[in-house]
Amino acid sequence: MEPSFWHERWENEQIGFHQGDVNPFLIQHWRDLNLPNDASIFVPLCGKSLDMCFLAEQGHQVIGCELNQQGVEQFFLDNNLPMQTSSHGTHPCYATEQLAIYQGDIFTLSEEVTRECSGFYDRAALIAWPESMRHAYVKKLAALLPSGSQGMLITLDFETDVISGPPFAVSELWVNQHLSEFFEIQQLACIDVLADNPRFLNKQATWLNEVIYRLVRK
Ligand SMILES: C[S@@+](CC[C@H](N)C(=O)[O-])C[C@H]1O[C@@H](n2cnc3c(N)ncnc32)[C@H](O)[C@@H]1O
């Protein structure tokens, strides 16, 4: 989506993607990655996700990237975290102990920022892009991640005509076809989450899968 779409979402508080709790699949599967506690973790399109707090609580250094300034400021306010701002090229950086969020477009984020990252976490980032922009995002994500880094990708898959996204359905086939150039891919879980999603139930969706992958940057 274009930046204006997301800025309007934040402006109008239409942020249905934001979860009031840490993602249960992150809690359940993060340890499957076996990353050292002090690993730096990149969180693309991070919003104000509480998942970043979970990652910091595991001992990780967390580096997020979020387009919208309000989203970044709300993250620190909502969680009562003191923060300091500094400037990094075109991206202001909002930081507290163990956590830094670079505010701006991921496509212009410098690879310097993520150079030390050995882990990453993508929830509702890949699936936020329509298919026409998704491959460009994958290429940029791959460019930002050092070889050998590993992470968790959480997608949603459903019949594509059920809703006009975001979120957009991303099939296992799409993941294998478009990510295997850059990543080793292992599916960790596939769970039917239709019963927990009124938006999809109201549209008479018959299935909705949340799929968890472990990715290793080649
Ligand atoms: C669907 S939300 C997911 C947020 C977060 N991952 C979560 O789980 O709550 C997508 C987020 O990406 C941000 N975003 C969209 N385009 C972006 C871009 N080009 N660069 C950085 N962030 C972007 C939006 O402002 C929005 O907060």
Side-chain angles (χ1 to χ4, degrees):
M1 311 304 287
E2 296 302 323
S4 57
F5 171 89
W6 293 107
H7 290 314
E8 264 175 48
R9 284 291 176 103
W10 281 101
E11 187 65 36
N12 299 324
E13 296 179 15
Q14 292 171 331
I15 52 165
F17 55 80
H18 178 70
Q19 299 181 310
D21 293 309
V22 176
N23 187 289
F25 303 119
L26 172 65
I27 298 174
Q28 212 173 327
H29 291 287
W30 185 252
R31 69 175 73 95
D32 295 349
L33 271 57
N34 267 326
L35 281 163
N37 287 349
D38 61 353
S40 291
I41 310 297
F42 179 51
V43 185
L45 279 64
C46 62
K48 56 171 186 171
S49 173
L50 295 177
D51 297 350
M52 292 190 282
C53 298
F54 172 85
L55 292 169
E57 280 159 15
Q58 308 315 299
H60 297 306
Q61 294 291 328
V62 178
I63 296 174
C65 176
E66 167 55 45
L67 186 67
N68 184 272
Q69 184 179 348
Q70 256 175 285
V72 178
E73 289 174 353
Q74 282 178 23
F75 173 79
F76 289 94
L77 269 175
D78 291 355
N79 295 296
N80 280 322
L81 292 168
M83 53 98 170
Q84 295 200 315
T85 52
S86 59
S87 157
H88 196 280
T90 51
H91 291 63
C93 174
Y94 296 66
T96 192
E97 208 184 325
Q98 273 185 261
L99 196 146
I101 301 181
Y102 289 81
Q103 187 250 312
D105 188 350
I106 190 167
F107 285 105
T108 53
L109 188 68
S110 163
E111 289 162 30
E112 278 298 299
V113 168
T114 52
R115 206 170 42 134
E116 303 293 330
C117 288
S118 52
F120 56 98
Y121 174 67
D122 176 319
R123 185 254 161 199
L126 181 69
I127 63 170
W129 300 103
E131 188 159 11
S132 57
M133 296 167 81
R134 204 179 294 145
H135 191 64
Y137 165 74
V138 171
K139 272 178 80 173
K140 177 63 187 180
L141 182 64
L144 286 166
L145 294 169
S147 173
S149 58
Q150 58 162 322
M152 183 183 289
L153 165 68
I154 303 182
T155 62
L156 282 177
D157 194 12
F158 48 90
E159 290 150 308
T160 46
D161 54 356
V162 169
I163 61 157
S164 56
F168 295 95
V170 176
S171 68
E172 190 183 344
L173 181 66
W174 196 96
V175 168
N176 284 319
Q177 279 179 346
H178 293 87
L179 271 69
S180 55
E181 181 186 347
F182 307 107
F183 300 97
E184 307 286 351
I185 303 162
Q186 178 193 2
Q187 193 184 113
L188 296 176
C190 174
I191 302 105
D192 186 342
V193 292
L194 181 60
D196 305 326
N197 283 276
R199 183 178 170 198
F200 285 84
L201 283 171
N202 291 340
K203 295 283 179 182
Q204 270 78 51
T206 53
W207 59 280
L208 173 67
N209 287 341
E210 196 153 5
V211 189
I212 324 298
Y213 299 91
R214 172 176 175 258
L215 303 180
V216 182
R217 177 76 174 99
K218 289 181 178 171

